Structure formats: C-alpha cells, structure tokens
Amino acid sequence: MWVKCAKLFVFCYYIYMKKRLLSGIQPSGAIHIGNYFGAIKQFVDLQDQYESFIFIADLHAITTVQNKEELSANILDTAIDYLACGLDPEKVCLYQQSDIPEVAELTWYFNCITTMPFLERATAYKDANQKAKEVNVGLFDYPILMASDILIQNADIVPVGQDQKQHIEYTRDIAQKFNKIFGEVFILPEPLISRNVSIVPGIDGRKMSKSYKNTIPLFGTDEEIKKAVMKIITDSKTPEEEKDPDSCNIFALHKLFLKENELEKLRKRYLNGGLGYKESKEILLTEIISFISPLRKKKEFYKNNPDKVIEILKKGAIKARAQAQEKMKIIRDKIGVNI
Ligand code: ATP
Ligand code: MG
C-alpha cells in the first residue's frame, strides 16, 4: 500500500514538474527530411523529458491545400508519419488542430489586438507575397494562428526549424500584448532549435519545403528518393577537381546522416579532389535508404491500421480540447465577453 502511494506520488510529482512542449507540422504534402531533422527528431528525442503536445496543423494547410481528398489524405499520412518516426501515443498527446475550434476563436481575439504592419514584417509572409500574385488572408494571419496553438496550451517550449524562429518571437510579442491589455494570462514560450540542423537545404539549394517542391521525401520509394537526390544542384566541377564541402548542397545533407569521423573522411575527399558529385550523391542515397528502412516498417503497420491512427488522434483531441476550453474560460473572462 505504502509503496503504491509513494509510486503514485513520484509519478504525480514528475508529471507536475515536467515542462510542456508543443509543436506541429502542416499536412501540406509528404513529410521530407528537413521536417524530420529540423522538427520531428526533436519531438521524438524529447518525448520522455517533456509533457508533449504534437498536432497536425490542418487549419494552416488550408492556406495552400484546397482540395478535399488531398487534404484528408495528407492529414492521415502526417499522423502515420509521426508515429512511424517514433512518436509514442502513450507519451505524446497527438491531435488534429481543427479538432480544437477554440484555437480559431483565440485567433480572432489576437487579430483584434494585432496591427497589419506588425504582420507585414513576417519574413514568411514577405516571401509568399513576392511569389504569389495575391496572398490569402489565412497565410497573412499564419503567425497569429500559430500563436493561438501555442498559447492556448500553455506551452513552455516549441521545437521548430530555424525558419519558424521569427514566428515564435511573434507568439511571445502577442502574448505580452494581450497580458498588458487584459491582464496576465499567457506564459511566454521559448523556441528550441536543433543546433546541428537549423535549415536543411532542398535539392535546389533553397530551404527544403513542401511548397517549393524541392524535397527529398522521407517516406518516398527508393526510386523517388533516387530521383530527388540525383537532381541536387551542384556547380560544374569535374570529379578530379578539388571541391568546397561547405558550399555543397550534397555535403550539407551528408551532415545529417554521417558520424563525425565518416564526415571528416568525406570532407578530405572533397578537398583533395577525386570525388565526383555523382559518387557523393550515390553515397548519400545509400545513407538515406539505410536510415529509413526501420521507419518504413513502422509506417507499413500504421498504414494497414488507419482506425488505430484515427483513434489515437481522437483520444489526443479530447485531452487537448479539455485544456483549451479551460484556458478559454479565463481568456473570455479577461476580455469581458462573459456577462
Ligand atoms: P510548407 O512549404 O507547406 O510551409 P514545410 O516543408 O516548410 O511546409 P512545415 O509544416 O511548414 O513544413 O514545417 C514543419 C516543421 O518542420 C517546422 O518546425 C519547420 O521549422 C520544420 N522545417 C520545415 N522545413 C525545414 C527545413 N528545410 N529545415 C529544417 N526544418 C524545417
Ligand atoms: Mg513551412
């Protein structure tokens, strides 16, 4: 009896003391190796250390994916990929963003205290604005929706790739502004960016992004991965010429897979000459395929059991929504809509 009580106490104390981690990925296309090394790997590595909330950012994805079949297939695929990468649903609360409608409500409140020039300074918006003829309001509002996801769950820490750092700063600014206007409600989250990764380059040298179509898909077939790897852009040096590993897109990807000593050997081969880009790509292809083979097996299991995946998401949504509703009571009260 006493032993049971002590165990329960230790368990409760541990849960109470654990900081809360939250992050998400858009179901805007197939997960790529940038998503894995920039974000998902950290979610998996930290799932014992933090009370984790990981979601599928489907509301965000609607800014770009506007096709029913595509969106719902992507949502299920993203959930499967999370699980295949090693997220343990017993440790992590895994849910779909649109199952928490309070997030959209909070976004409206934040919209009302945020100015247009503040959002116009977001680099993701500036990039999109340069490319698209007319950016939709959802894309413009992306940082606010992201702030709502994070702040409604009282997250302490948000593991993301370097490209999202500015959005976490926005989240902190929005939380501070709300706290100043309506009174203390939100804690300020910290970003967690992997020191070894920051931004994984795509096959064209820009940030690897689903929307840029420059990805190496994490769960592609061998043929798809080969096709992507062989297209990686390089300069036109011959195999005999000496090469600079630090400006080479292929070498940047080797860094994700090779151990320190193996990377050093490859670095020397670059510097000494004699290694062609084709051979470097072939080595990379072997690295990627051997890395993903155990993940593929797990993916197969969940692909054959979609009901299990949906059940995990629904269970996660119940927990995440209950917390969001608790928080919304406080928020509504502070704003004055409760009469
Ligand atoms: P989209 O093009 O639709 O924005 P994306 O490929 O940028 O898709 P997101 O869903 O926006 O992927 O990002 C999910 C997570 O993966 C975020 O934490 C983001 O910082 C991280 N991430 C995305 N691309 C990279 C990359 N190239 N290198 C490192 N991290 C990345
Ligand atoms: Mg992105």
Side-chain angles (χ1 to χ4, degrees):
M1 173 71 182
W2 283 109
V3 175
K4 261 192 183 165
C5 283
K7 271 189 185 163
L8 187 68
F9 175 77
V10 171
F11 178 74
C12 293
Y13 181 75
Y14 194 47
I15 291 284
Y16 180 71
M17 291 301 289
K18 268 187 180 177
K19 286 198 167 181
R20 193 168 287 174
L21 173 153
L22 178 139
S23 198
I25 289 189
Q26 298 188 65
S28 48
I31 298 272
H32 52 77
I33 61 173
N35 295 138
Y36 179 79
F37 287 99
I40 302 175
K41 184 176 185 303
Q42 300 193 78
F43 309 164
V44 176
D45 291 346
L46 297 171
Q47 61 186 342
D48 287 315
Q49 205 177 324
Y50 291 91
E51 186 194 6
S52 297
F53 288 76
I54 303 293
F55 65 96
I56 297 159
D58 52 356
L59 297 180
H60 276 104
I62 301 166
T63 61
T64 53
V65 182
Q66 297 171 356
N67 173 292
K68 178 187 154 148
E69 282 74 29
E70 190 185 343
L71 185 67
S72 47
N74 283 355
I75 292 169
L76 187 63
D77 267 355
T78 307
I80 291 174
D81 290 354
Y82 273 145
L83 294 163
C85 288
L87 279 189
D88 178 349
E90 294 298 319
K91 296 176 183 163
V92 174
C93 175
L94 195 61
Y95 63 99
Q96 204 177 320
Q97 184 185 30
S98 58
D99 276 336
I100 323 293
E102 288 74 16
V103 166
E105 181 184 347
L106 184 56
T107 299
W108 179 255
Y109 298 147
F110 286 157
N111 278 340
C112 296
I113 61 163
T114 306
T115 66
M116 303 262 292
F118 176 77
L119 287 184
E120 275 161 359
R121 287 197 289 275
T123 42
Y125 162 69
K126 282 196 219 159
D127 284 355
N129 201 24
Q130 265 178 357
K131 272 176 231 119
K133 268 189 252 127
E134 287 174 344
V135 169
N136 62 49
V137 177
L139 202 78
F140 182 61
D141 212 26
Y142 183 112
I144 305 278
L145 184 56
M146 183 162 159
S148 305
D149 291 321
I150 298 169
L151 298 173
I152 206 163
Q153 301 292 358
N154 289 328
D156 298 290
I157 184 155
V158 187
V160 282
Q162 180 71 31
D163 61 309
Q164 291 293 337
K165 186 166 183 267
Q166 192 196 28
H167 288 155
I168 310 291
E169 282 155 14
Y170 268 53
T171 297
R172 292 170 62 90
D173 287 348
I174 292 162
Q176 275 174 317
K177 191 160 185 191
F178 187 101
N179 287 349
K180 200 163 157 225
I181 298 173
F182 297 109
E184 288 293 321
V185 174
F186 297 114
I187 52 171
L188 305 188
E190 295 286 345
L192 185 82
I193 295 166
S194 169
R195 254 180 292 139
N196 310 327
V197 178
S198 75
I199 293 185
V200 176
I203 59 173
D204 59 359
R206 296 183 296 164
K207 177 191 109 70
M208 190 177 286
S209 275
K210 287 170 246 144
S211 53
Y212 293 170
K213 311 233 177 296
N214 64 352
T215 69
I216 300 176
L218 184 66
F219 287 107
T221 60
D222 288 1
E223 212 32 57
E224 284 164 343
I225 296 173
K226 182 174 177 190
K227 211 169 138 200
V229 167
M230 291 304 165
K231 273 203 221 153
I232 298 173
I233 289 178
T234 61
D235 58 36
S236 51
K237 287 201 169 123
T238 62
E240 296 71 37
E241 281 180 276
E242 296 165 6
K243 301 177 183 67
D244 173 18
D246 296 317
S247 62
C248 174
N249 291 325
I250 317 166
F251 194 80
L253 297 170
H254 280 300
K255 284 184 191 164
L256 303 170
F257 296 96
L258 288 180
K259 292 195 192 93
E260 201 60 47
N261 60 336
E262 295 167 332
L263 197 64
E264 267 323 295
K265 273 190 205 150
L266 194 69
R267 176 182 285 280
K268 285 202 180 105
R269 291 194 64 198
Y270 262 75
L271 294 171
N272 294 340
L275 173 77
Y277 289 127
K278 184 164 176 279
E279 188 186 344
S280 182
K281 286 177 180 179
E282 282 160 358
I283 300 171
L284 178 65
L285 183 63
T286 313
E287 287 156 16
I288 298 176
I289 289 176
S290 73
F291 172 79
I292 57 168
S293 80
L295 308 188
R296 275 177 176 167
K297 287 201 188 103
K298 272 197 192 164
K299 172 147 178 157
E300 212 43 43
F301 168 78
Y302 286 110
K303 236 177 137 174
N304 293 331
N305 293 281
D307 293 350
K308 255 200 173 78
V309 180
I310 292 166
E311 196 187 306
I312 290 169
L313 291 179
K314 293 301 162 203
K315 198 172 147 210
I318 292 171
K319 179 174 174 191
R321 185 153 193 215
Q323 282 189 179
Q325 285 173 326
E326 270 309 297
K327 190 79 184 177
M328 279 315 289
K329 277 189 205 152
I330 304 168
I331 296 164
R332 290 192 193 117
D333 192 52
K334 290 277 184 194
I335 291 175
V337 291
N338 280 347
I339 53 166

